[in-house]
Amino acid sequence: MKKILFAAVHMDVGGIENALVTLLNYLVNKDYKITLVLEEKQGIFLHDLDNRINIVQYTPSKCKNILIRKGINLAKRLYFTLKYKNKFDFSASFATYSKVASFVARTASKNNVLWGHADYLALYKGDKEKVKEFFREIQYEKFKKIVFVSKKACESFIEVYPNVKDKVIFCNNLIDYKKIENLSNENVEEKKDIYTFVNVGRHDELQKKLTRILEASEKLKNDNMNFEVLFIGEGKDTEIYKIMAEKMGLQNKIKFLGVKKNPYAYMKLADAVILSSDYEGYPVVFLEALILNKPIITTNVADALQDIKGKYGEVIEKTTEELYKTMKRFIEYGYDIKYKFDPEEYNRDITEKLEKLINNKI
């Protein structure tokens, strides 16, 4: 039985953590012996992990005394190295930004992979030097392969690092479509005679730009449109959004539902899924919407032009005006999905690539 290790930060609600649960549960059922190393052994997704997965905590010291902190962390690194160096057949740093996850994955196996969940050139607004600084910090050059979950993210990385394009692999996230279908049947509330949009994700204005949805909703309210928007999720900017919604008089149009472990029942109730982000890796919510046969309105992020536009929804420019016009069109005319999404075929392509990656054949 091959031993594999994944490193991450925590298992709180989030797209990366959701994708990791699905991936690990798939792999453990393929008879891999899995170890998951977390900086913080917390998060509601912990309970969704198969109990055969061994969870190890590696938490660096945050002591304010620099000398003490460095001494403790040096001891932790030495202990981990002595115990786990090259003891695994495959390892991956699944939390791209984490220096701890990078160290853990590089130490655990020579067959190691760095997972990328964002278009970093878009994240840093085209500043290649900032992208380079980010990847230097996590010592990207010491990984055997670098995986990105969207083709656009791959292309952006290669634009910054053309000399390492042979190490870069596109591999989208697995999706547990049966679980999503089953959970979507939970009875949470009655469907109303009103056009309902749903947004699922972290409340972080820098990336998600949820103010676009609020501003577009204010315009729709002024047009006397019959609609509502459900926000599922929380974050550092939640209170700001709530204050904005109140000032705009959107109390009857916007509902903040908080974090939901099962967002799928609400997505099933909705008429459309909406994203307003400036950048994304590959939104898991795209796949969830496709499985639940819900049309999507999204800004031009990740592989939306290739995967969504004209098939499963509309891809718009990153402006409030474009969002407002498209939401209004959906309310007035609806949207007919042009294709039937096949989750089995989607997963099959990914699992074949994963097997090759783990067995060092790609």
Side-chain angles (χ1 to χ4, degrees), residues 195-199 227-230 270 272 274 297 327 330-331:
Y195 198 95
T196 303
F197 299 97
V198 62
N199 173 273
F227 77 101
E228 68 177 1
V229 181
L230 307 180
I274 187 168
I297 299 174
M327 290 174 73
F330 271 48
I331 295 168

Side-chain angles (χ1 to χ4, degrees), residues 180-216:
I180 290 169
E181 289 170 347
N182 289 336
L183 287 173
S184 73
N185 294 320
E186 181 185 342
N187 187 20
V188 287
E189 60 179 74
E190 293 296 320
K191 172 66 175 142
K192 300 174 185 174
D193 185 22
I194 185 173
Y195 198 95
T196 303
F197 299 97
V198 62
N199 173 273
V200 183
R202 188 178 67 257
H203 292 181
D204 179 355
E205 181 63 13
L206 180 65
Q207 178 184 359
K208 304 296 184 178
K209 287 291 188 290
L210 298 186
T211 51
R212 288 178 181 142
I213 298 178
L214 295 174
E215 290 163 357

Side-chain angles (χ1 to χ4, degrees), residues 310-332:
K311 301 175 185 176
Y312 303 105
E314 295 289 342
V315 179
I316 63 171
E317 296 302 315
K318 299 168 185 174
T319 67
T320 295
E321 188 64 20
E322 282 297 305
L323 184 56
Y324 154 67
K325 289 178 180 177
T326 308
M327 290 174 73
K328 187 172 183 178
R329 191 161 62 248
F330 271 48
I331 295 168
E332 292 178 331

Side-chain angles (χ1 to χ4, degrees), residues 171-187:
C171 184
N172 213 321
N173 290 315
L174 274 175
I175 194 78
D176 188 343
Y177 65 93
K178 291 181 180 178
K179 173 184 173 183
I180 290 169
E181 289 170 347
N182 289 336
L183 287 173
S184 73
N185 294 320
E186 181 185 342
N187 187 20

Side-chain angles (χ1 to χ4, degrees), residues 225-243:
M225 292 284 104
N226 187 29
F227 77 101
E228 68 177 1
V229 181
L230 307 180
F231 282 109
I232 298 177
E234 290 179 352
K236 63 185 183 66
D237 294 322
T238 299
E239 291 306 314
I240 294 172
Y241 296 142
K242 287 181 177 179
I243 292 168

Side-chain angles (χ1 to χ4, degrees), residues 77-140:
R77 285 194 298 273
L78 289 172
Y79 175 80
F80 187 88
T81 301
L82 288 170
K83 187 172 182 178
Y84 293 109
K85 186 171 179 62
N86 297 331
K87 295 292 176 63
F88 292 84
D89 299 290
F90 172 85
S91 62
S93 172
F94 207 74
T96 324
Y97 58 90
S98 170
K99 294 179 186 177
V100 171
S102 172
F103 161 74
V104 165
R106 287 184 286 106
T107 302
S109 176
K110 292 179 180 178
N111 182 25
N112 50 48
V113 171
L114 174 66
W115 236 272
H117 300 277
D119 177 348
Y120 291 92
L121 196 56
L123 190 159
Y124 289 110
K125 303 187 185 301
D127 190 329
K128 293 183 180 180
E129 290 307 312
K130 286 188 177 179
V131 175
K132 289 179 179 179
E133 182 181 349
F134 173 85
F135 280 99
R136 274 198 303 268
E137 288 279 323
I138 52 176
Q139 300 186 53
Y140 79 97

Side-chain angles (χ1 to χ4, degrees), residues 1 9 47 51 55 67 101 118-119 187 198 214 221 235 242 254 261 268 291 341 345 347:
M1 183 182 289
V9 176
H47 303 294
N51 58 18
I55 301 175
L67 291 177
D119 177 348
N187 187 20
V198 62
L214 295 174
K221 182 199 74 169
K242 287 181 177 179
I254 302 290
K261 190 175 181 182
K268 187 174 182 178
I291 289 164
F341 178 65
E345 181 181 348
N347 274 349

